[in-house]
Amino acid sequence: MTDTLILRCSTGGRPVLVMGAVPDAEYWLGALTLRTTLFRGWDAAATVPGVAPMERPRDASSLDEAVAGSVLVIILDEQAPELASVIRAARAANVPIWVPGRPEAGTAEPVLPEKRRPARQTADHPEQTVSATRAAGGTATGFVSLVGAGPGAPDLLTLRGLRTLQRADVVIHDRLVAASLLAHVPPDAERIFVGKRRSNHAVPQEQINQLLLDRAREGKHVVRLKGGDPFIFGRGGEEIEHLMEAGVPFQVVPGVTAASGCAAYAGIPLTHRDHAQSCVFATGHRREGELDLDFDGLVRDGRTLVFYMGLHSLQDLCHGLIKHGMRADMPAALVQQGTTVAQRVVTAPLSALPETVAQSGIRAPTLLIIGEVVGLRDRLAWFEGTREPMAWAENPDR
Ligand code: SAH
């Protein structure tokens, strides 16, 4: 729990209540005098003279009183245990709330907008303000969390990802998300499946972008849950670009990408002092039927290549690499449903891999790893799947 300090500073007889951890509060109070944000009827830039720590109110009514007697409440610590009651009291007494850097989260109306674009997030769990404001009966601009769900095993989600899911009002999820992760979402949260199956284009990207905006504008905390890491072949960049243009605040929670997950669970270190000094992530996905790859640029000694979405282009990928100078007997592996109980790994020399895979009955999703490091698997393999290929987060409504 953050060490919360409630400070009161006087501006010409009108006290301002500041809630925050000590260093933050000092920083912001210092910064206040320099900032140019003006509030209607109150000039924040002009005066912040004496600042005195207040006795932390012992009971709810003295806290309410302190809030009601203030001209403005500044919330720096969005994890403070008193947050919800402070918001409630401020609303009851009509005292404006200001969350520095996130004017949309409060009620104080700046004369000059702080910034047109959503402010950079600094608080530990910025989405909490949305929930706390709503818990206090108010409305806030919503908030979007773009969360990486990890590579498959549900417990490879980050701790931050889990906490974010637990605070979701809406979850918009993909196909490559372990179904059991949705169990962490509050039962009354809305769940929307927008996954794409290869042959069946589910929800087009523009519609997903719009959905994120619409739900956030309802004042909700929207979690966009995506397989692996949102910024690695995940179109996460496109999604936040839309949010940014629309001025909707967001955070990005990284995830364990398929390359790290699959390689670790297959016993293939992606880099190794003796075998690979670099590693490249590439896509085997075709655009308008064509592989859009610079094979010449990819083939280098001492480099591991990882291909996402490579199963359907496997033959062309292997041939292309050999044609551009890669050894035909370079060790290569295809990992099916890595990190899950259905993990399977097929290895072969590069030239023989397509044939070996064709005979193996391997199923998507798969990740292709090529390089000397694949040879280490013979000694380093430590994990084996135990079950049939699994269905991934099937749409419960389908
Ligand atoms: N953003 C994701 C990648 C999305 S692209 C990430 O960071 O991992 C989807 C591709 O990722 C799949 O076609 C497959 O190549 C790969 N992939 C994702 N999860 C996988 C898994 N558990 N096992 C094998 N490949 C996986």
Side-chain angles (χ1 to χ4, degrees), residues 30-236:
L32 255 185
T33 55
L34 306 172
R35 291 171 74 89
T36 53
T37 308
L38 301 178
F39 292 90
R40 285 190 205 290
W42 185 75
D43 180 353
T47 44
V48 184
V51 176
M54 206 176 102
E55 280 281 307
R56 193 168 176 149
R58 276 186 304 271
D59 52 48
S61 68
S62 50
L63 180 62
D64 287 1
E65 236 169 75
V67 172
S70 307
V71 69
L72 174 73
V73 172
I74 301 179
I75 295 173
L76 305 173
D77 180 5
E78 299 183 44
Q79 296 206 75
E82 302 89 349
L83 184 63
S85 20
V86 166
I87 293 175
R88 199 177 300 117
R91 285 182 181 282
N94 235 350
V95 175
I97 299 168
W98 181 38
V99 184
R102 298 216 302 121
E104 69 286 343
T107 54
E109 199 183 331
V111 175
L112 304 173
E114 275 193 271
K115 276 181 193 161
R116 297 224 172 273
R117 304 198 314 166
R120 302 214 167 133
Q121 303 302 332
T122 49
D124 247 12
H125 294 288
E127 77 279 9
Q128 258 188 333
T129 312
V130 176
S131 325
T133 309
R134 290 181 63 225
T139 50
T141 307
F143 190 88
V144 176
S145 296
L146 193 58
V147 177
D155 53 354
L156 287 174
L157 176 74
T158 65
L159 200 50
R160 189 182 189 107
L162 174 65
R163 288 189 178 139
T164 306
L165 269 186
Q166 289 168 335
R167 295 187 188 122
D169 296 316
V170 183
V171 178
I172 301 178
H173 64 97
D174 271 354
R175 183 171 69 93
L176 289 180
V177 164
S180 61
L181 279 186
L182 299 178
H184 298 293
V185 174
D188 55 346
E190 185 184 9
R191 297 143 197 244
I192 306 174
F193 177 78
V194 292
K196 298 179 185 96
R197 295 188 172 83
R198 268 194 82 258
S199 47
N200 165 9
H201 298 279
V203 182
Q205 188 65 43
E206 303 73 54
Q207 241 168 287
I208 298 178
N209 297 339
Q210 195 55 47
L211 197 57
L212 291 173
L213 282 185
D214 291 347
R215 290 299 192 275
R217 283 177 174 152
E218 290 167 15
K220 293 181 171 159
H221 174 214
V222 184
V223 173
R224 172 75 174 110
L225 188 63
K226 302 172 83 81
D229 181 278
F231 275 10
I232 298 184
F233 303 122
R235 306 187 77 168

Side-chain angles (χ1 to χ4, degrees), residues 150-152 175-176 226-234 255-259 262 307-310 335-340 365-368 392:
R175 183 171 69 93
L176 289 180
K226 302 172 83 81
D229 181 278
F231 275 10
I232 298 184
F233 303 122
V256 176
T257 188
C262 295
F307 288 96
Y308 288 69
M309 299 168 275
V335 184
Q336 161 191 286
Q337 303 196 343
T339 76
T340 73
T366 63
L367 192 86
L368 174 60
W392 289 51

Side-chain angles (χ1 to χ4, degrees), residues 151 176 228 232-233 256-266 268 270 279-284 304-312 314 317 332-339 343-347 353 357 362-370 374 392:
L176 289 180
I232 298 184
F233 303 122
V256 176
T257 188
S260 346
C262 295
Y265 274 64
I268 302 172
L270 290 177
C279 173
V280 170
F281 296 172
T283 171
T304 306
L305 296 179
V306 178
F307 288 96
Y308 288 69
M309 299 168 275
L311 184 57
H312 296 272
L314 188 61
L317 286 173
L334 194 74
V335 184
Q336 161 191 286
Q337 303 196 343
T339 76
Q343 172 172 307
R344 272 185 70 195
V345 184
V346 171
T347 54
L353 190 69
V357 167
I362 238 171
R363 296 249 305 266
T366 63
L367 192 86
L368 174 60
I369 308 178
I370 301 168
V374 175
W392 289 51

Side-chain angles (χ1 to χ4, degrees), residues 207-393:
Q207 241 168 287
I208 298 178
N209 297 339
Q210 195 55 47
L211 197 57
L212 291 173
L213 282 185
D214 291 347
R215 290 299 192 275
R217 283 177 174 152
E218 290 167 15
K220 293 181 171 159
H221 174 214
V222 184
V223 173
R224 172 75 174 110
L225 188 63
K226 302 172 83 81
D229 181 278
F231 275 10
I232 298 184
F233 303 122
R235 306 187 77 168
E238 294 168 47
E239 288 177 8
I240 63 166
E241 211 171 314
H242 277 83
L243 298 173
M244 204 151 227
E245 277 165 15
V248 171
F250 61 85
Q251 66 172 339
V252 182
V253 181
V256 176
T257 188
S260 346
C262 295
Y265 274 64
I268 302 172
L270 290 177
T271 67
H272 188 288
R273 276 198 300 173
D274 301 332
H275 307 287
Q277 292 72 43
S278 71
C279 173
V280 170
F281 296 172
T283 171
H285 184 70
R286 292 167 188 275
R287 259 199 165 177
E288 286 152 21
E290 293 294 312
L291 264 181
D292 183 18
L293 282 172
D294 166 23
F295 280 108
D296 258 344
L298 283 176
V299 180
R300 291 282 179 282
D301 285 344
R303 171 180 289 176
T304 306
L305 296 179
V306 178
F307 288 96
Y308 288 69
M309 299 168 275
L311 184 57
H312 296 272
S313 314
L314 188 61
Q315 181 119 9
D316 291 350
L317 286 173
C318 296
H319 285 172
L321 291 169
I322 294 169
K323 203 169 128 203
H324 288 83
M326 189 173 272
R327 276 168 39 202
D329 63 350
M330 181 65 85
L334 194 74
V335 184
Q336 161 191 286
Q337 303 196 343
T339 76
T340 73
V341 288
Q343 172 172 307
R344 272 185 70 195
V345 184
V346 171
T347 54
L350 187 58
S351 57
L353 190 69
E355 181 60 28
T356 315
V357 167
Q359 287 169 7
S360 69
I362 238 171
R363 296 249 305 266
T366 63
L367 192 86
L368 174 60
I369 308 178
I370 301 168
E372 301 287 356
V373 289
V374 175
L376 299 170
R377 172 174 155 78
D378 290 342
R379 274 187 292 132
L380 302 184
W382 60 274
F383 175 84
E384 235 177 317
T386 51
R387 287 207 213 133
E388 290 300 296
M390 53 206 279
W392 289 51

